[in-house]
Amino acid sequence: MDSGLVVRAGVVIPETELQWRFSRSSGPGGQSVNTTDSRVELSFDVAGTTAFTDVLRARALERLQSRLVNGVLTVAASEHKSQWRNREAARTRLAALLRDGIAAPPRQRRPTRPSKNSVRRRLDEKKRRGETKRLRSRPDD
């Protein structure tokens, strides 16, 4: 592969921190399905990485908590027939997970109040609709 896994600009995981495992895939493969190790598992130690700052590591550990086993994030890929394509799929999936895990939290919503004019317009429209519906009903005898 290349020198590392690019998660986002400025955040690159060195290839030495990625652990690969290969096994037989249950996916497509034809006659060679029982002989090729095309299933790929890519593991990354989020808790012990040097690629993240302390803030990014803490954010990733908190957000990816449900997917971690002892601080290690593992992604499997077996949808392709070739091991190389499964490796690419696993790298892409891991990068996307980590990108979401270290993303900055959304800006906090500042509460606002509706303007007096918008409240007045809304109530006027409600009265108009109510009057329209009232006029559609049968007159009382």
Side-chain angles (χ1 to χ4, degrees):
M1 299 278 159
D2 53 3
S3 63
L5 178 66
V6 178
V7 177
R8 68 169 198 208
V11 180
V12 178
I13 298 171
E15 198 68 38
T16 57
E17 291 192 15
L18 300 174
Q19 280 82 39
W20 296 91
R21 276 188 45 208
F22 307 101
S23 59
R24 292 195 178 130
S25 175
S26 62
Q31 291 178 339
S32 63
V33 71
N34 293 325
T35 58
T36 57
D37 291 338
S38 61
R39 182 175 188 269
V40 173
E41 282 186 19
L42 178 57
S43 298
F44 172 63
D45 186 6
V46 178
T49 184
T50 59
F52 293 164
T53 63
D54 291 338
V55 173
L56 293 181
R57 185 180 306 110
R59 200 180 289 165
L61 286 171
E62 180 186 340
R63 290 194 184 153
L64 299 172
Q65 180 179 2
S66 63
R67 295 201 54 143
L68 297 177
V69 177
N70 296 329
V72 177
L73 177 65
T74 303
V75 176
S78 62
E79 60 267 14
H80 299 290
K81 186 174 177 177
S82 77
Q83 186 188 95
W84 183 81
R85 287 182 65 191
N86 281 332
R87 285 172 68 116
E88 289 299 313
R91 286 174 65 90
T92 304
R93 208 171 295 153
L94 181 67
L97 275 171
L98 291 173
R99 194 174 306 116
D100 291 344
I102 65 172
R107 288 185 24 207
Q108 195 155 4
R109 179 190 174 277
R110 186 167 19 136
T112 58
R113 294 181 60 178
S115 68
K116 286 184 180 179
N117 256 344
S118 68
V119 171
R120 183 187 52 78
R121 280 193 308 267
R122 184 180 62 85
L123 292 176
D124 287 349
E125 180 60 28
K126 282 172 69 90
K127 284 178 189 165
R128 202 172 308 124
R129 290 289 298 157
E131 184 64 18
T132 302
K133 290 183 177 191
R134 189 184 65 76
L135 292 173
R136 285 183 197 152
S137 65
R138 289 183 178 221
D140 292 335
D141 288 331

